[in-house]
Amino acid sequence: MTTISYPPKPSPGDRVAVISAGAGLPELFPHPFELGLERLRGDYGLVPVEYPTTRKMGTTPQERADDVHAAFADPAVKAVIASIGGDDQITVLPYLDRELLRANPKPFFGTSDNTNLLMFLRNAGIVGYHGASVMVELGRPGAMHPRTADSLRAALFTSGEYELRPADRWNDVDRDWADPAAFETEPQSRPGTGWTWLNADRVIEGRTWGGCLEIVSWLLMADREIAHDLSEYDGGVLLLETSEELPGGTEVFRTLRNMGERGLLRRFSALLMARAKTWSFERPNSPEEAARYAAEQREAVLRAMRMYAPDTTIVFDVDFGHTDPQLVIPYGGLVRVDGPARRITVTY
């Protein structure tokens, strides 16, 4: 069993690395990036530090790995945060020096394609944080969502328990980052629907694993960062969320089915399934189409879990995925899922 510990936390005034280990999208969309940096400075009192690939598209995996190493090795840098995700961070993993990162543990914040680095750090014994990229959450039009901002502040600067709460209102319709006017007002939102609980007759406390479902499936295919002794995950809390690519119900079911065939699903005592993102520029679903998509995804998850882990406690629509707000979840850290009380508490 891997020994996993929380790295030291930064304080206001500290330097934090901003890296693009997935894609250098700040080069293409500087406005949300600059807005996110401004909020890191003004709202959190942190000093962002950039690297050669932070604002550069088309960099090599080795170049991005070099920036990861530089960020973790610099004793003046107290935390690392992703600019955004991407789609090929898996190619960076072979170039990473696990011992260097293990010797210089720091909080890392990122989602989506950053599932790769979160899983790598977990296997190095370092708790990471699933949540809060510079361009998306910090660079949100109008203002940061209060739930996201509060969760990030607690995860950055505190080390105690933090109770997650269902969003009163939420959104998953994106705006055009190329249009400066898109940042003048906050996004439209719709009423929250709360969480849906199944097999909620017990209290579970365990370490988290998982992340973006598409990235987890790629790591499984490449046989990277997955423990060969699956008892590593016994009693843990599985985190799963899907991206703006909107994988269909059949794809979601097949991915979970294959995880079940590998013996993974039955290892976890609880599954937190994030609220599904239902809209993208490629698929601008109507509200009715979006509702059908979300229902199809939920049924796909339930079908697989009934087959492979029917007794697992499941909570649907937790706000930690590609929707807004986004709550920060410790990756490899402790989460308590209290079914009878309908409460989820994380340890930052």
Side-chain angles (χ1 to χ4, degrees):
M1 185 72 69
T2 303
T3 300
I4 308 172
S5 59
Y6 287 83
K9 297 296 184 79
S11 300
D14 283 342
R15 293 158 65 88
V16 295
V18 178
I19 63 172
S20 298
L25 286 170
E27 179 182 22
L28 302 182
F29 302 103
H31 193 90
F33 184 65
E34 291 290 352
L35 183 56
L37 294 180
E38 179 183 322
R39 289 177 179 151
L40 272 178
R41 297 185 190 100
D43 297 352
Y44 294 91
L46 296 169
V47 181
V49 179
E50 297 183 39
Y51 294 81
T53 68
T54 301
R55 299 193 192 218
K56 188 176 180 182
M57 290 289 292
T59 58
T60 67
Q62 179 69 71
E63 289 171 327
R64 282 173 277 152
D66 289 345
D67 283 356
V68 173
H69 293 153
F72 275 85
D74 186 346
V77 168
K78 303 302 182 182
V80 183
I81 184 168
S83 67
I84 198 169
D87 68 1
D88 79 334
Q89 196 176 105
I90 193 170
T91 66
V92 176
L93 298 184
Y95 297 93
L96 293 179
D97 184 336
R98 200 181 306 271
E99 293 309 313
L100 183 151
L101 271 58
R102 183 179 285 122
N104 298 277
K106 292 173 184 177
F108 170 72
F109 294 81
T111 61
S112 194
D113 199 30
N114 293 289
T115 295
N116 288 281
L117 188 48
L118 287 166
M119 201 177 291
F120 189 93
L121 291 169
R122 188 189 194 279
N123 289 336
I126 302 168
V127 172
Y129 295 89
H130 186 283
S133 67
V134 173
M135 295 180 70
V136 182
E137 287 74 37
L138 281 151
R140 179 179 184 265
M144 287 187 71
H145 193 291
R147 291 286 181 91
T148 305
D150 188 70
S151 173
L152 176 58
R153 185 176 303 279
L156 272 168
F157 300 130
T158 73
S159 299
E161 292 189 342
Y162 182 92
E163 184 173 348
L164 306 184
R165 297 184 184 277
D168 297 324
R169 300 188 66 85
W170 68 282
N171 174 62
D172 68 345
V173 177
D174 302 317
R175 291 186 177 175
D176 182 2
W177 280 350
D179 180 9
F183 293 88
E184 294 175 359
T185 59
E186 291 195 38
Q188 296 288 325
S189 62
R190 66 193 87 172
T193 55
W195 298 335
T196 300
W197 294 72
L198 286 84
N199 299 329
D201 58 349
R202 69 209 75 168
V203 178
I204 294 151
E205 184 168 79
R207 292 193 178 274
T208 58
W209 183 87
C212 182
L213 183 65
E214 296 99 302
I215 307 304
V216 171
S217 73
W218 298 350
L219 287 163
L220 284 162
M221 282 188 279
D223 197 22
R224 286 190 184 158
E225 301 307 314
I226 312 298
H228 290 134
D229 180 359
L230 297 183
S231 66
E232 170 74 27
Y233 309 122
D234 284 353
V237 177
L238 178 60
L239 308 174
L240 292 177
E241 54 105 359
T242 52
S243 77
E244 75 282 356
E245 294 186 359
L246 308 191
T250 298
E251 180 181 348
V252 170
F253 168 74
R254 287 173 175 169
T255 300
L256 287 169
R257 178 198 62 192
N258 296 345
M259 291 172 68
E261 287 294 321
R262 184 153 180 172
L264 270 169
L265 295 184
R266 63 184 175 84
R267 296 288 180 171
F268 298 93
S269 296
L271 163 62
L272 303 185
M273 189 74 202
R275 186 186 300 280
K277 183 171 176 59
T278 61
W279 188 99
S280 70
F281 285 108
E282 291 73 26
R283 290 179 57 188
N285 286 328
S286 68
E288 295 76 19
E289 291 169 331
R292 284 196 296 272
Y293 173 84
E296 179 184 281
Q297 180 176 114
R298 181 173 300 192
E299 183 51 42
V301 174
L302 287 172
R303 182 182 169 199
M305 296 303 289
R306 289 189 195 110
M307 290 174 63
Y308 295 99
D311 298 325
T312 300
T313 296
I314 305 174
V315 191
F316 284 101
D317 294 339
V318 184
D319 300 279
F320 67 88
H322 278 70
T323 57
D324 177 51
Q326 185 190 80
L327 302 174
V328 178
I329 311 287
Y331 193 99
L334 293 174
V335 173
R336 185 168 65 251
V337 182
D338 187 334
R342 301 297 196 269
R343 298 174 67 182
I344 301 174
T345 305
V346 301
T347 298
Y348 288 147

